[in-house]
Amino acid sequence: MENCNVPLSLIVPGLPHPYLVPEACEAYGRLREGFEAARAKVEQAVTEDGVDLLVLYSTQWPSVLGHQIQGARELTWTHVDPEFHELGSIPYSFAFDTQFAESYAREATQRGLHARVVTYAGFPVDTGTVVARKLLDPEGRLPCVVVSCNMYADRAETLVLGKAAASALRSSGRKAVAVAITGLSYRMLPEVFLPEHAATKERVSLPRDDEWNCKILELLAAGRVEDVSQLARNFHKEARADQKFKALWWLTGLQGGHNHYAGEVLAYASLQGTGAAVVALRESDGVRAGDPEFDEDDVEVFRGERSVLDARS
């Protein structure tokens, strides 16, 4: 195994419907079942692999200046999604790993990134993090660390952010489940569905979005994670992927940028017109997919944008 510190990684959606209204329609129920299957895999990783930490990257926590890492020891609040408040509220009390957050920030800074730890009381935890924690570790057995999604970071910067997390895990000797909280296609239907109407109105916004989602999931199921990473920009161009699908860049930086995975799609459905999936990935000891054709450097240290599209000499 190339990265034994991350025996399992997950891709999960960040909207609240599978947690708050799974009974509203078949799509939400299917995603809830996918979360429950993923939770069983987390429990298995704790028992069999010695996992003692959740490391999350959430596209629902956007940042503009650098990368924010949650380092408060514990946060207790009641969360209401800013767009889907009619679905209800989610009380939560989460433990965060302050020591690991500091280590993560140091590693990121040493690799040329702007990173800081956020520790103030009453910090508004985002919907994606709340839903993922509630459904993947409902009893709160595992401490976690969550990093923000810089809206302007491109592939190189996001890869390095993932590699900083991998370095922090190696130096600490910790084992973690990596959780990329992200949608697939992210064109929302304009009308907000009330739960009683979701069954008749829920669908992926465009047929081509659905086609692209299915192709991406086909590649992930085949373990071709680096190929998906390389396709992320095209995926965003064609299906308006959630934050350019950069959560995959973070994930490949953290768990390893290759095609040697065993992938399993646990659920796929639409959420308010977006594509949503629950996917589990483990490095594979068996038959491996072909090597990817890399079109960019595998960056270890971020030295700024390279201006490769700048026409000036």
Side-chain angles (χ1 to χ4, degrees):
M1 295 294 183
E2 295 184 23
N3 190 351
C4 61
N5 295 95
V6 187
L8 171 69
S9 60
L10 300 170
I11 301 167
V12 300
L15 297 183
H17 306 63
Y19 179 73
L20 288 173
V21 289
E23 72 290 343
C25 71
E26 190 269 342
Y28 307 160
R30 195 185 322 150
L31 289 166
R32 178 62 171 266
E33 291 173 359
F35 266 107
E36 291 172 354
R39 182 182 67 194
K41 292 183 180 296
V42 172
E43 294 172 352
Q44 181 182 9
V46 170
T47 302
E48 298 181 3
D49 300 304
V51 161
D52 61 356
L53 181 68
L54 293 176
V55 180
L56 297 87
Y57 174 102
S58 177
T59 61
Q60 300 292 304
W61 181 15
S63 60
V64 176
L65 299 176
H67 308 277
Q68 320 300 317
I69 301 169
Q70 182 55 250
R73 189 170 301 279
E74 184 176 350
L75 290 174
T76 301
W77 204 251
T78 297
H79 178 77
V80 178
D81 185 86
E83 294 189 60
F84 301 102
H85 48 83
E86 71 282 351
L87 298 184
S89 58
I90 310 175
Y92 66 84
S93 182
F94 297 147
F96 294 89
D97 195 307
T98 300
Q99 185 176 359
F100 187 81
E102 295 283 356
S103 176
Y104 189 178
R106 283 195 302 271
E107 292 286 351
T109 300
Q110 290 170 6
R111 287 176 178 267
L113 301 176
H114 294 283
R116 68 171 185 169
V117 175
V118 178
T119 60
Y120 70 84
F123 183 88
V125 181
D126 65 280
T127 299
T129 297
V130 171
V131 170
R133 287 298 310 272
K134 284 285 190 177
L135 291 179
L136 297 177
D137 184 24
E139 296 179 359
R141 296 168 55 194
L142 296 173
C144 80
V145 63
V146 56
V147 63
S148 68
C149 171
N150 186 294
M151 297 175 65
Y152 301 107
D154 212 331
R155 184 174 186 270
E157 187 171 353
T158 310
L159 277 175
V160 172
L161 183 66
K163 291 184 178 185
S167 295
L169 287 169
R170 286 193 295 270
S171 64
S172 66
R174 306 286 295 276
K175 289 189 176 182
V177 172
V179 184
I181 303 169
T182 180
L184 300 176
S185 65
Y186 219 65
R187 264 186 274 260
M188 287 194 182
L189 293 170
E191 178 187 0
V192 176
F193 307 152
L194 295 175
E196 57 268 28
H197 300 146
T200 58
K201 296 188 177 183
E202 189 60 80
R203 60 178 175 80
V204 176
S205 290
L206 295 177
R208 77 175 185 185
D209 290 355
D210 185 44
E211 291 171 4
W212 268 96
N213 293 337
C214 290
K215 175 54 69 177
I216 292 297
L217 292 175
E218 181 182 341
L219 292 172
L220 290 173
R224 296 169 60 181
V225 175
E226 180 58 27
D227 285 347
V228 174
S229 175
Q230 296 287 334
L231 279 171
R233 287 195 183 94
N234 286 340
F235 180 37
H236 172 64
K237 179 181 178 181
E238 298 296 335
R240 194 166 294 178
D242 185 7
Q243 288 289 345
K244 300 182 183 176
F245 212 39
K246 66 178 65 177
L248 253 291
W249 295 333
W250 175 82
L251 197 63
T252 54
L254 174 50
Q255 194 172 20
H258 53 75
N259 285 334
H260 308 159
Y261 289 92
E264 185 178 1
V265 177
L266 303 174
Y268 168 60
S270 61
L271 286 178
Q272 191 63 35
T274 71
V278 181
V279 181
L281 297 162
R282 278 184 173 267
E283 287 194 66
S284 174
D285 290 327
V287 178
R288 299 185 171 195
D291 291 332
E293 296 182 6
F294 293 98
D295 62 2
E296 295 187 55
D297 297 336
D298 189 12
V299 184
E300 294 293 335
V301 177
F302 185 64
R303 304 188 188 281
E305 297 299 333
R306 294 177 297 161
S307 300
V308 293
L309 298 181
D310 194 337
R312 294 175 295 179
S313 59

